[in-house]
Amino acid sequence: SQLLVTGILHADPHAGNLLKLRRDDGSVTLGYLDFGLLSTIPSQVRDALICSVALQVFERNVDAVSSLFGELQLIPQHILDDDSERAALAEALHITFENSLLYPDTSSASTNGKDGAMAATAIPDLKFDKLLDSLSRLVPRFQFDLPPYFINNARALSTLEGIAKSLDPSFNVLTIMYPYALTRLLQNPSGSPVVERTLQSLIRSGGTEYGRIDRSKIRRLLRDSALISGRRKRRVVWDVMKTRPGRKLARGIVGEELRMFLSGKGKRRRRKGEEDGDGGQRKKKKKKKWYYLEL
């Protein structure tokens, strides 16, 4: 929440500055000491981080992630505007992620649900040290402009990951960040146009914001958010609908589905008229209502 929500990160979280605290309700939380070194993350960067995590885990879309490096304030815009440099950056990130993200083998995993989809999107194991090492090698090539908070954040996250892995060797930071990113993506509390475009690309065919609504992708997003976060799917939908961007998203989906339904209905009527004129008959198939969407 410090990194993605509040934007104020404790930049020196070594073991001596951490406390295990018990709340009044009996739950356990983490307490911090010594706030001499804090890091502030701009809202634009937080939104880009959310989009980057969702795009890489959900779609494995490295090209789209590379386009966000301007929003992350890491690379000058003139580099991203150069098509050849942009392509070179995407290729370099492909290699970087191959070395730092280890995806589980899902070839023999079981499926469930009516659509035969996997229980949840496979979340890769992030090797944070390898990620930082690979990115550091790209700094001179693509003229990285590393702001002070980036270095502080990298050090803080590396320290926290080390502590977490000493307590639980199977700890993977992406299993925490991914559901958080999906929630922020669906609710878009900052009203960010970058978050809106990213969400549209994730729920449409072709991986772009201009494709057609893909219901299976919507179901998968909601399923991931529910299964990985431990919440019911209906609760996820309800939380999304409580926000203005969430209601805007729902209206957009329903409106597009309605237009597609009416367009298809008009075509069916014309086709039926042609068949009746020829004396042909066609067996009617039971269709789902236009507003029906399996969650």
Side-chain angles (χ1 to χ4, degrees):
S1 62
Q2 293 181 47
L3 179 65
L4 300 180
V5 181
T6 64
I8 301 176
L9 181 71
H10 192 298
D12 191 23
H14 59 76
N17 283 341
L18 301 176
L19 291 175
K20 178 182 177 181
L21 301 177
R22 191 171 298 278
R23 295 191 179 99
D24 293 337
D25 61 3
S27 62
V28 175
T29 188
L30 193 63
Y32 288 82
L33 301 174
D34 186 2
F35 293 88
L37 187 60
L38 296 176
S39 179
T40 302
I41 304 98
S43 177
Q44 170 188 335
V45 175
R46 300 200 304 271
D47 290 335
L49 280 171
I50 288 166
C51 295
S52 298
V53 171
L55 284 166
Q56 184 57 36
V57 176
F58 189 82
E59 287 278 82
R60 302 192 191 186
N61 191 340
V62 181
D63 293 342
V65 173
S66 68
S67 70
L68 291 169
F69 269 54
E71 297 292 332
L72 290 169
Q73 299 181 2
L74 294 178
I75 291 182
Q77 191 59 43
H78 72 270
I79 297 290
L80 297 174
D81 291 339
D82 187 314
D83 292 339
S84 61
E85 287 293 273
R86 171 84 169 274
L89 174 62
E91 179 60 29
L93 288 180
H94 270 287
I95 298 173
T96 294
F97 292 152
E98 283 181 1
N99 294 330
S100 58
L101 297 177
L102 301 179
Y103 285 87
D105 181 13
T106 58
S107 58
S108 60
S110 60
T111 60
N112 61 19
K114 295 180 181 179
D115 55 0
M118 302 304 298
T121 297
I123 300 178
D125 185 17
L126 171 63
K127 302 299 181 183
F128 197 69
D129 55 341
K130 290 185 177 181
L131 176 63
L132 291 180
D133 179 65
S134 297
L135 287 177
S136 67
R137 298 174 187 273
L138 303 181
V139 169
R141 169 64 180 84
F142 296 103
Q143 303 177 31
F144 273 49
D145 182 17
L146 300 180
Y149 65 78
F150 179 86
I151 299 173
N152 288 337
N153 292 351
R155 182 176 61 182
L157 291 174
S158 180
T159 301
L160 284 173
E161 184 190 43
I163 295 174
K165 282 188 174 293
S166 68
L167 298 173
D168 179 7
S170 64
F171 174 80
N172 179 15
V173 66
L174 282 182
T175 61
I176 307 298
M177 291 185 68
Y178 179 56
Y180 229 116
L182 288 186
T183 299
R184 302 288 291 184
L185 195 71
L186 290 167
Q187 297 180 2
N188 192 8
S190 65
S192 165
V194 175
V195 172
E196 171 65 20
R197 288 197 300 269
T198 299
L199 178 59
Q200 290 296 328
S201 72
L202 291 179
I203 65 174
R204 294 177 181 274
S205 59
T208 72
E209 58 183 299
Y210 305 108
R212 294 178 61 177
I213 292 288
D214 188 331
R215 296 183 183 185
S216 65
K217 284 190 171 185
I218 297 176
R219 291 195 296 268
R220 185 176 152 209
L221 270 176
L222 294 173
R223 185 181 64 241
D224 280 359
S225 184
L227 288 178
I228 301 173
S229 65
R231 296 180 296 164
R232 290 182 177 275
K233 203 180 300 183
R234 292 181 183 275
R235 179 65 185 181
V236 172
V237 175
W238 175 248
D239 288 343
V240 171
M241 293 300 295
K242 288 193 297 184
T243 66
R244 181 176 297 178
R247 293 191 293 272
K248 178 183 176 182
L249 171 66
R251 288 195 300 269
I253 293 174
V254 171
E256 186 165 327
E257 290 286 299
L258 177 59
R259 288 192 295 273
M260 290 176 61
F261 169 77
L262 294 176
S263 174
K265 189 173 182 179
K267 291 179 181 178
R268 288 194 297 272
R269 283 176 174 172
R270 289 193 296 273
R271 194 160 53 238
K272 184 177 184 300
E274 293 172 358
E275 292 171 356
D276 291 344
D278 295 336
Q281 293 182 349
R282 184 183 293 251
K283 184 178 179 181
K284 293 183 178 180
K285 293 183 179 180
K286 188 176 181 181
K287 296 268 186 181
K288 292 180 179 178
K289 297 292 187 182
W290 65 268
Y291 51 79
Y292 179 79
L293 175 62
E294 284 187 44
L295 298 179

